[in-house]
Amino acid sequence: MKRAGGPCVEASPNKRQRYGGCGGSGWRDVCFAAILQASNMQRSARRGLAYVWLHFVYEPLIYRRRVQAAHEFLAGRSRSQLIGDVEDAVNSAEAKPFRAVLRDDFWHQQDSQVENRDTLMQRRLLLRAELELQLQRQQWKESASGRGFVAISCNFRLRVDPKQRHYFGKVPLEVKRGSAFDSTVEAILAAKPSHLLSGVHVRFHESGGFAEAGVDSGGLTREFFELAIKELSADVSPPSRPTRQQRQQPKFRRSVSVEGIGQPMFCPQADGSLMLVPSSRPPAVYFALGRLVGVALVHASYGDSALPLPLSDCLLKCMVGAPITSADVRKRDPVYYKNRIEAVLSVQGRHMVTAALMEEKLLFVEGGRELKPGGAAEEVTDANVMEYVALLSEDYICGDVRTEISEFLAGFHDIVPRKLLQQVGLSWVQLGNLLSGVDHIDIEAWRRYSQVRAAGVAEEEAYSVANIFWDTLEHWPAVERSAVLAFASGCSRLPACGFALLDPPFTVEVTPCSGKLPTSHTCFNTITLPAYAQEMLEKKLAFAIHECATGFALI
C-alpha cells in the first residue's frame, strides 16, 4: 500500500556555516535524519523489487505452469507430477476418514476457555521459531532435489534473511475482488509447502480485470484473509456467465470452470464460530482451504493477521489432535445431547431410545453409517454403552463432513505439521486465539499504544483531532469500531499480540483541513484524518468506512 514519504531533510547553507565541518549536534541530527530517509527509501526499493520479481518474473516464467497443472487436477482429478502430493493426500483422506482420539476421561474433561496472555505470547514466539526451522528444512530438501532454472530461481527467492521474509520469500497471489478464495485456489494448490511457509504476496484485481496500484507490505494480505473467509462463510448467488473479457484472460485463470464455485464451505454456528459444511466442490478445494488457514497461522505467528471470524471449537480440536468432549455436543445441540446421550446413559435408557427410534435393537449405526467397522452387527450393551456414546458424539460432530474435515486437516498439516504444534505445546484454545485474534476492542488500550503524527499541522492541533477521533470511537458500537480497525489495518479483529505489540504501531496522522475523506495505509496501520471539527470528522469517517465496505477502497 502507498505510504506518505518521510520529510526530505537537507541542511541549509546557514546551518552548514553555523555548525561547520562535522561538529555540532545540529549536524548530527541532519545526518541521522538523512540515514533514516535512506533506510526508508531502501525498504521501499526492496518492496518494489520484490513486487516486480514475484508478479512479472517468477510468476509468468515458472509459477503459471504449476497453476495450470493445479487447475487440471481440480477439473479432472487426473494425476500430475507437480501436485502428486495433493492427490495422495486426498486419496489418503478418502480411504482413511478422520477419527477423533478419545481418552478415558472423555466425559469428565473440562475445557479451559481462559488462557494467560503472557503464555500465549510465549507460544506465539516459539511457534514462529519452529516454523522458521521447518522452512529451512523444506528449503534444504527441495534445493537438494531441484534441477535447472526452477531450482536456481526458487533458491534465489527463498535465500533471504528471516527478518526480510515480507519481501521475497512469498507466493504471488492474483486476487479478484468478489471471489478472493476461488480466484486463488489453483495457486494455493500449486505452491510448494516451503513457499507457503514464507507467506503470500497479494495483488488485487478490480472487477474489470485491471490490477490495483497497491503494493503488499502486509495490509493487502490481511485484507485477503478477511475477504476470503467471509466469502466462504456466507451464502452467495450462483456464478454468472463469464463475460467476453473474462474468457480472454490467460488460461491458467479458469476458476469459473471448477465445479461448485461460489458455494460456501463454512457454516456459522450458534456462537458465531465457523464449521465446515459439505458442498459440490472438488475434494482438493478443502485441501486448499486447509493450506490457506495454515498460511494464516504462519502470518499470525508474526502478529500481522487475524481471521475475521473464529473457527469452531470442534474444528480447532481436530487441528491439534485434541479429543472431542461432551461439552462440544452440549454446546452445539443441547436438545440432541439430552434426548440421545443423557437418555441412553440413564436407567432403562437404551430401551427408551430403541423404542423412540422404532428399532428392534440398538446397534452401532447412526443415519445409515456404521459408527465402527462391523457396527451393524454389534448390539449396544451395558459393557459397551460408553463406547457407543463416544462414537455417537464423534459421529454427530464429524459424520456429515468427515471427508471434508480429513482433507482440510491434510492441507493444514501440510503447512503446519501436527507434531510441530505438539512440540510448541499449543492448545486448541491458544490456536484459536492466534488465528482469530481478539474480538473485543479496548478503546483505552488502542489510544495508549497509538502514535499521533502531525503532517502539515501544528502538533497541538494534531493531538486535538486525535482526541476527537478516540472520543468518537468510544460512543460507537463494537461493529463500527471493528469497521474502523479494518479500514485502517485491513483486519476487523485485533491480532492476538494486541495493540501493545502491533508492528508497526497504530498511527493517527493529521493533515490540514480539506475536502477529502479520511484515508488509510493498511500496510502501516495508519489512518489519515483531515483536521475537521468533531461533527464533520464523525460524518466523514463514517462515510469513508461505508465506501470502503461497499468496495470502493480509499487506501
Side-chain angles (χ1 to χ4, degrees):
M1 302 301 295
K2 63 179 181 179
R3 182 187 185 186
C8 183
V9 179
E10 183 179 356
S12 63
N14 295 334
K15 287 186 178 180
R16 295 194 188 109
Q17 185 177 5
R18 182 185 307 170
Y19 296 111
C22 297
S25 60
W27 179 251
R28 287 196 298 267
D29 294 341
V30 172
C31 291
F32 180 71
I35 292 174
L36 289 180
Q37 181 68 13
S39 177
N40 291 333
M41 293 178 61
Q42 183 181 7
R43 285 195 293 268
S44 301
R46 191 182 295 116
R47 288 195 300 269
L49 183 60
Y51 178 83
V52 173
W53 161 255
L54 289 174
H55 294 284
F56 294 97
V57 180
Y58 172 75
E59 182 188 17
L61 293 181
I62 303 171
Y63 202 62
R64 292 188 183 183
R65 302 176 186 177
R66 297 182 58 84
V67 174
Q68 174 67 25
H71 170 78
E72 294 175 354
F73 171 76
L74 280 177
R77 295 293 302 277
S78 60
R79 180 166 296 278
S80 173
Q81 294 181 352
L82 292 176
I83 49 176
D85 295 339
V86 177
E87 187 173 78
D88 294 340
V90 172
N91 293 335
S92 176
E94 294 175 348
K96 186 179 180 181
F98 169 77
R99 291 283 182 180
V101 180
L102 307 178
R103 295 202 298 258
D104 295 335
D105 57 346
F106 180 79
W107 300 108
H108 304 287
Q109 181 180 356
Q110 298 295 329
D111 298 322
S112 176
Q113 297 287 346
V114 180
E115 291 288 338
N116 184 275
R117 185 175 178 276
D118 295 336
T119 304
L120 178 61
M121 292 301 101
Q122 294 175 3
R123 294 288 188 271
R124 180 179 70 87
L125 295 177
L126 186 58
L127 176 63
R128 183 175 66 182
E130 290 294 334
L131 288 174
E132 290 177 354
L133 292 177
Q134 178 75 8
L135 174 60
Q136 294 176 6
R137 288 192 291 265
Q138 289 282 355
Q139 292 175 4
W140 178 262
K141 180 180 178 181
E142 293 174 2
S143 62
S145 59
R147 294 181 181 179
F149 179 71
V150 176
I152 297 175
S153 60
C154 290
N155 289 338
F156 170 75
R157 66 187 292 273
L158 292 173
R159 278 181 189 167
V160 294
D161 186 355
K163 296 181 181 179
Q164 300 177 1
R165 59 180 290 276
H166 295 284
Y167 299 114
F168 289 96
K170 294 190 175 184
V171 170
L173 293 183
E174 307 288 337
V175 182
K176 297 180 181 178
R177 293 194 179 274
S179 59
F181 176 75
D182 292 325
S183 61
T184 58
V185 169
E186 300 98 322
I188 294 174
L189 286 175
K192 296 182 179 179
S194 62
H195 296 183
L196 291 173
L197 274 170
S198 300
V200 296
H201 191 279
V202 173
R203 183 170 69 164
F204 276 103
H205 289 258
E206 300 175 355
S207 57
F210 300 100
E212 297 181 0
V215 178
D216 187 13
S217 291
L220 295 183
T221 300
R222 292 191 290 267
E223 186 179 1
F224 164 64
F225 290 137
E226 183 95 3
L227 297 176
I229 299 300
K230 285 185 177 180
E231 289 175 3
L232 294 177
S233 59
D235 294 334
V236 296
S237 57
S240 58
R241 187 179 183 87
T243 62
R244 179 180 180 182
Q245 185 177 8
Q246 291 175 340
R247 289 195 297 267
Q248 293 177 351
Q249 290 179 351
K251 294 183 178 180
F252 71 98
R253 300 281 184 241
R254 297 187 301 178
S255 299
V256 291
S257 64
V258 177
E259 181 183 3
I261 184 174
Q263 294 184 1
M265 303 173 68
F266 283 119
C267 177
Q269 304 295 299
D271 58 352
S273 61
L274 301 179
M275 185 61 182
L276 293 175
V277 292
S279 66
S280 61
R281 293 175 178 266
V285 177
Y286 286 89
F287 184 90
L289 178 59
R291 276 188 157 196
L292 177 64
V293 176
V295 175
L297 181 60
V298 172
H299 283 270
S301 66
Y302 285 84
D304 57 1
S305 70
L307 299 182
L309 296 172
L311 299 182
S312 172
D313 296 348
C314 301
L315 188 57
L316 291 171
K317 288 185 175 183
C318 295
M319 294 164 69
V320 300
I324 297 176
T325 65
S326 58
D328 300 317
V329 183
R330 187 188 301 111
K331 182 187 302 183
R332 183 169 181 175
D333 193 344
V335 177
Y336 179 87
Y337 175 84
K338 181 178 180 180
N339 294 336
R340 290 298 304 271
I341 296 178
E342 282 189 353
V344 79
L345 292 175
S346 62
V347 180
Q348 300 296 324
R350 295 198 313 276
H351 301 290
M352 293 187 297
V353 172
T354 303
L357 296 176
M358 295 186 296
E359 299 287 348
E360 298 180 358
K361 296 184 296 183
L362 187 60
L363 304 175
F364 280 78
V365 177
E366 180 67 18
R369 299 187 299 267
E370 291 187 341
L371 299 180
K372 65 177 185 178
E378 183 175 354
E379 184 179 359
V380 179
T381 62
D382 293 335
N384 59 14
V385 64
M386 292 302 299
E387 180 186 7
Y388 169 77
V389 171
L391 294 175
L392 179 65
S393 301
E394 194 265 352
D395 182 80
Y396 178 78
I397 297 295
C398 308
D400 295 333
V401 289
R402 191 176 301 278
T403 302
E404 288 77 8
I405 291 179
S406 300
E407 293 162 3
F408 174 86
L409 294 179
F412 176 77
H413 292 146
D414 191 37
I415 307 301
V416 185
R418 180 181 298 176
K419 184 178 180 181
L420 187 147
L421 296 176
Q422 295 174 352
Q423 291 175 353
V424 175
L426 203 66
S427 65
W428 65 271
V429 178
Q430 294 171 340
L431 177 62
N433 291 336
L434 284 179
L435 281 173
S436 304
V438 183
D439 57 347
H440 175 69
I441 300 177
D442 186 2
I443 299 297
E444 186 61 30
W446 197 350
R447 174 187 294 189
R448 185 185 311 117
Y449 297 107
S450 298
Q451 299 178 356
V452 179
R453 179 191 304 159
V457 298
E459 188 174 354
E460 294 78 8
E461 185 178 6
Y463 277 94
S464 176
V465 174
N467 291 332
I468 295 176
F469 172 72
W470 301 121
D471 294 339
T472 301
L473 292 183
E474 286 182 355
H475 296 88
W476 279 10
V479 176
E480 296 189 6
R481 293 179 184 178
S482 299
V484 173
L485 183 62
F487 176 75
S489 65
C491 185
S492 60
R493 292 171 68 99
L494 181 66
C497 61
F499 287 108
L501 300 178
L502 197 63
D503 185 27
F506 189 89
T507 303
V508 179
E509 184 181 49
V510 181
T511 59
C513 184
S514 62
K516 297 182 179 179
L517 292 173
T519 58
S520 63
H521 310 275
T522 58
C523 296
F524 306 98
N525 300 323
T526 300
I527 184 170
T528 302
L529 302 175
Y532 287 120
Q534 182 172 2
E535 296 182 358
M536 183 60 67
L537 178 62
E538 184 175 354
K539 293 180 180 179
K540 292 286 186 178
L541 182 61
F543 184 75
I545 294 173
H546 177 267
E547 290 293 305
C548 183
T550 54
F552 299 94
L554 304 174
I555 50 181

